[in-house]
């Protein structure tokens, strides 16, 4: 039995199916769009023209939407969240598929919540608050880049000029606060920072703005970042001009609000003169015929072009949806039906049913618009645009550079505030708020830095202070400063605490807190131990090199003096020249062994010999005692040869308290804290090393920085450095993180080194007593005897020797005069000395030398033959008279 179907039923079903397909494929005649924004604003006036032009152009394009007409319903939000919300529901009542706007970021936050609840696309062309891209607002789209994009461009501009700190001035609303937050994030990526924030209310009066800007002047940075909504009055610059902040040394950088303001209004020379030196960003809009047509309206700006593209973008999304056969239908929302406040009649509002699908189609749109490429990326924002760098001078705003995300920054000469072309430094130190410099109030190694206790003005002095002051002289600007001592004056303070003070208000952890300048002194950790003597020349060790040289010279001088005193009367000191030279050399040295072959006859020579032998006795006894001490007290060589051997041992180690040495030995080298002994002064260094590792409070070695050890060794003897310096570092000045003064001071220190002034300062402070040298001439080894130890004996011996020599010379002169007088009486008148005046002086000198060289007995014999009755006084202890 076959299945029978009524033909009428089949025909009816076919008709219904055909009608349904026809209904589904039929495009609506009109599709409504809503727009909510502030009409009476810089952006709003231009956007209104651009939106109307865009709707007209879309409807004129028969390839898009075909027979469907696009209608736009605009409502004024009056720059108010309350009015903006009402305006949104007004256009929703027109059965719109999407809403364009708003301009204000504050209103955009509220409308985004409404769009999320009712599920319709909200597309803004001017609300640039970066937080609107959050997942919290899934139905919010933006056809202009958010503020984080232009903040990236600004930070590249700041980086290009080498500025590290800025002051941000912004409107105290969602646009300003969140925009500056994005700026802070971009600055942090390059280790820059905002030093001070100046939020200004939208309704601030002139006095409030003046007070806020005045407070910022004392901070230090002179780079100001301005982020506001477009302001046709440009009030901020007028107030800054009154405060002398539009002068040389200041930097004013503005986001694109300034270019939008200037592009949308007629500016005169007075305005440009007030804005001279300001640098800003302008969105790069490619040249096109349509752009030039729209620019005939003088109020046109970049955001108006984005508004134009927004209409086309929505039209493309609607067209894609209609091409897929989606019907445009509306229905009452349950959320509005059950809402309280029936007087608003929200239950009558119909919402687009396919808002989520339209949003999906809009995110897929990709076309080249009037303002550039329209394609959505991360955060439902269009891909970022490029920026032109504009610079305002007295004649107008000019392009001076270009920035793109991929191409970076290119820039030419800029006119800065005050009319100069030289790049401003970007910061100053206010004389009313001088640079505070923390210095340790040291009680040891005060040559480096300390507070003068004898000064009523708490004068800070030392090597580090002198270098700092000299380096400041090489800076191209003045730096007012004030030293503030840190410490109780009873013990040296901890440097890590001082570093923390600098950070709040180089071991690895320190460099993360502050920035250090170029080192002004090379340093490193070294190991110091007691000195142990060994060597082949041990017999020379008791005396210093200086004393040995003086002793050798003394032997020769005494020999010469004794020869002179004995030559006339002692046969042992006469003879051929060679014999006399040998006698001079060996006589004095033989006295050292009490084996003199020659005997002294003269009383004066005997007097000199008595004190000379006494001096030799003292020197010999001291020498024997010293040699005995060295040979009998045999100290075994130390097992410590450097840091490695010291680390491997379990011996106690001394270190200077308050320095980084403790952290390095414990954290970096892993030494037990129980082994480390804190020491505060060079006296404690010496005492601990002499006590040794076995005594209470003693140490086997001390680990400290090289400059401290060099000063210690210059003042103390008996110690030495073993091994090579390790952890080579340098001493520098610590500044706040990213302080520009750190870079300038580094340059100044290099110049200080080139001028060799640094070396003079080091010599001044570290060579007050003595400077460590390689030679032992001025620096005796431990327990060595030096010339100072015998200074008194030497001076007394020299005085006796000089006295004896002078007595001898006076006696010789006296005898020579008598001898010449007697000789003259025997001469004939023609042979008188008075006849030869030109030869008188030379004759006297030669005669005196011959007289002294002549043997005493020969002179006496000759004198007796000439004058038998004359009594001649002999040199010696007794007088020999001839009658």
């Amino acid at each position: 039995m076959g299945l029978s179907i009524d033909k009428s039923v089949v025909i009816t079903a076919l008709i219904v199916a055909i009608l349904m397909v026809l209904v589904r494929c039929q495009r609506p005649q009109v599709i409504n769009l809503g727009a909510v924004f502030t009409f009476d604003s810089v952006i709003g006036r231009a956007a209104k023209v651009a939106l109307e032009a865009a709707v007209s152009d879309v409807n004129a394009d028969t390839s898009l939407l075909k027979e469907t007409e696009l209608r736009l319903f605009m409502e004024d939000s009056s720059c108010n969240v309350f009015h903006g919300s009402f305006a949104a529901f007004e256009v929703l009542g027109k059965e719109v598929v999407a809403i364009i706007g708003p301009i204000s970021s504050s209103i955009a936050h509220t409308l985004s919540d409404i769009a999320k609840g009712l599920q319709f696309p909200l597309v803004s062309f001017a609300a640039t608050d970066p937080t609107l891209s959050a997942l919290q607002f899934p139905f919010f789209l933006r056809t202009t880049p958010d503020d984080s994009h232009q903040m990236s461009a600004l930070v590249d501009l700041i980086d290009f000029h080498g500025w590290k700190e800025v002051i941000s001035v912004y409107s105290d609303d969602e646009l300003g606060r969140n925009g500056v937050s994005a700026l802070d994030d971009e600055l942090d990526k390059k280790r820059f920072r905002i030093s001070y924030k100046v939020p200004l209310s939208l309704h601030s009066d002139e006095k409030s703005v003046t007070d806020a800007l005045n407070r910022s002047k004392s901070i230090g940075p002179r780079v100001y970042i301005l982020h506001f909504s477009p302001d046709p009055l440009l009030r901020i610059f007028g107030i800054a001009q009154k405060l002398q902040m539009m002068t040389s040394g200041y930097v004013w950088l503005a986001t694109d609000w300034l270019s939008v303001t200037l592009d949308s209004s007629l500016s005169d020379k007075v305005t440009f003169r007030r804005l001279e030196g300001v640098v800003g960003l302008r969105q790069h809009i490619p040249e096109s015929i349509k752009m030039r047509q729209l620019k005939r309206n003088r109020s046109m700006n970049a955001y108006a072009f984005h508004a134009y593209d927004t209409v086309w973008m929505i039209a493309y999304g609607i067209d894609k949806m209609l091409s897929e056969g989606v019907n445009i239908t509306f229905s009452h929302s349950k959320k509005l039906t059950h809402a309280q406040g029936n007087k608003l009649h929200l239950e009558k509002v119909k919402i687009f049913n396919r808002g989520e699908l339209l949003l999906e189609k809009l995110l897929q749109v990709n076309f080249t618009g009037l303002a550039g490429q329209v394609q959505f990326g991360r955060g439902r924002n269009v891909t970022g645009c490029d920026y032109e760098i504009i610079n305002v001078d007295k004649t107008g705003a000019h392009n001076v550079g270009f920035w793109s995300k991929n191409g970076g920054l290119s820039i030419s000469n800029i006119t800065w505030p005050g009319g100069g072309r030289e790049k401003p430094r970007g910061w100053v130190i206010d004389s009313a708020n001088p640079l505070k410099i923390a210095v340790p109030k040291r009680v040891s190694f005060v040559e480096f830095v300390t507070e003068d206790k004898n000064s009523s003005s708490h004068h800070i002095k030392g090597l580090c202070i002198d270098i700092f002051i000299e380096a400041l002289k090489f800076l191209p600007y003045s730096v007012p400063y004030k030293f503030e001592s840190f410490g109780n004056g009873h013990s040296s303070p901890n440097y890590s605490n001082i570093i923390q003070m600098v950070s709040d208000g180089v071991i690895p952890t320190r460099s993360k807190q502050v920035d250090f300048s170029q080192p002004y002194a090379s340093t490193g950790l070294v190991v110091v131990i007691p000195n142990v003597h060994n060597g082949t020349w041990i017999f020379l060790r008791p005396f210093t090199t200086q004393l040995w040289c003086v002793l050798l010279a003394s032997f020769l001088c005494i020999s010469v003096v004794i020869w002179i005193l004995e030559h006339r009367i002692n046969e042992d000191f006469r003879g051929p020249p060679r014999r006399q030279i040998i006698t001079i050399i060996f006589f004095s040295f033989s006295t050292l062994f009490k084996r003199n072959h020659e005997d002294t006859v003269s009383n004066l020579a005997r007097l000199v010999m008595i004190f000379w032998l006494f001096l030799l006795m003292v020197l010999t006894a001291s020498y024997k005692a010293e040699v005995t001490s060295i040979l009998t007290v045999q100290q075994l060589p130390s097992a410590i040869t450097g840091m490695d051997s010291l680390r491997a041992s379990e011996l106690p180690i001394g270190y200077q308290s308050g320095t980084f040495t403790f952290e390095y030995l414990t954290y970096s080298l892993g030494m037990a804290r129980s082994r480390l002994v804190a020491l505060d002064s060079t006296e404690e260094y010496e005492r601990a090393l002499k006590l040794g590792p076995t005594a209470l409070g003693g140490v086997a070695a001390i680990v400290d920085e090289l400059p401290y050890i060099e000063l210690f060794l210059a003042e103390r003897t008996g110690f030495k450095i073993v091994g090579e310096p390790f952890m080579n570092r340098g001493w520098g000045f610590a500044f706040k993180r990213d302080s520009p003064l750190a870079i300038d001071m580094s340059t100044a220190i290099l110049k200080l080194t080139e001028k060799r002034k640094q070396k003079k300062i080091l010599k001044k402070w570290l060579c007050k007593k003595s400077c460590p040298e390689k030679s032992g001439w001025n620096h005796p080894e431990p327990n060595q005897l030096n010339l100072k130890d015998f200074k008194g004996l030497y001076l007394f011996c020299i005085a006796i020797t000089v006295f004896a020599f002078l007595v001898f010379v006076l006696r010789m002169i006296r005898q020579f005069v008598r001898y010449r007088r007697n000789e003259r009486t025997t001469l004939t008148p023609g042979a008188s000395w008075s006849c030869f005046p030109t030869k008188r002086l030379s004759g006297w000198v030669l005669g005196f030398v011959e007289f002294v060289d002549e043997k005493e007995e020969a002179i006496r014999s000759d004198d007796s033959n000439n004058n038998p009755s004359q009594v001649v006084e002999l040199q010696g202890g007794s007088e020999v008279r001839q009658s």
Side-chain angles (χ1 to χ4, degrees), residues 147-178:
D147 282 336
S148 61
H149 189 66
Q150 66 171 330
M151 294 307 175
S152 179
L154 268 182
V155 170
D156 282 351
L157 183 62
I158 293 169
D159 185 28
F160 178 84
H161 290 94
W163 300 314
K164 303 292 184 181
E165 299 183 32
V166 301
I167 293 176
S168 59
V169 185
Y170 56 94
S171 57
D172 192 13
D173 57 5
E174 281 82 356
L175 171 72
R177 288 191 298 269
N178 296 329

Side-chain angles (χ1 to χ4, degrees), residues 138-150:
F139 281 84
F140 177 83
L141 284 78
R142 184 160 31 203
T143 55
T144 188
D146 65 15
D147 282 336
S148 61
H149 189 66
Q150 66 171 330

Side-chain angles (χ1 to χ4, degrees), residues 18 115 245 418 461 494 598 635 754 799 809:
I18 293 170
M245 296 176 70
K461 62 180 184 179
N494 190 294
E598 302 83 2
Q635 300 181 20
E754 292 173 359
V809 171

Side-chain angles (χ1 to χ4, degrees), residues 164 189 214 259 318 414 447 457 510 564 649 657 713-714 728 744 779 821:
K164 303 292 184 181
K189 293 177 183 178
N214 256 330
S259 62
I318 294 173
I414 293 177
E447 289 81 359
S457 60
R510 289 182 176 179
I564 293 174
S649 69
S657 61
L713 295 179
N728 292 324
D744 293 343
H779 293 273
R821 187 182 299 121

Side-chain angles (χ1 to χ4, degrees), residues 291-311:
M291 184 195 74
R292 287 193 290 270
Q293 290 175 352
L294 290 175
K295 271 193 170 182
R296 292 172 184 171
N297 187 312
R298 290 290 303 168
S299 65
M300 203 57 55
N301 55 60
Y303 288 105
F305 298 136
H306 287 298
Y308 181 89
D309 289 342
T310 301
V311 174

Side-chain angles (χ1 to χ4, degrees), residues 469-524:
I469 294 174
E470 284 296 323
L472 288 180
K473 296 178 182 179
F474 287 93
L475 295 179
Y477 48 86
S478 61
V479 178
Y481 60 90
K482 177 183 178 182
F483 290 120
E484 292 192 0
S485 58
F486 178 78
N488 54 22
H490 302 293
S491 61
S492 296
N494 190 294
Y495 275 85
S496 295
N497 294 339
I498 301 179
I499 292 295
Q500 186 61 46
M501 289 174 60
V502 175
S503 176
D504 293 342
V506 148
I507 79 174
T509 55
R510 289 182 176 179
S511 61
K512 295 179 181 179
Q513 295 174 292
V514 295
D515 282 343
F516 288 96
S517 70
Q518 170 79 15
Y520 58 82
S522 297
T523 182

Side-chain angles (χ1 to χ4, degrees), residues 37 111 150 158 194 300 572 600 707 717:
F37 58 93
L111 297 192
Q150 66 171 330
I158 293 169
I194 299 176
M300 203 57 55
D572 292 337
T600 54
T717 60

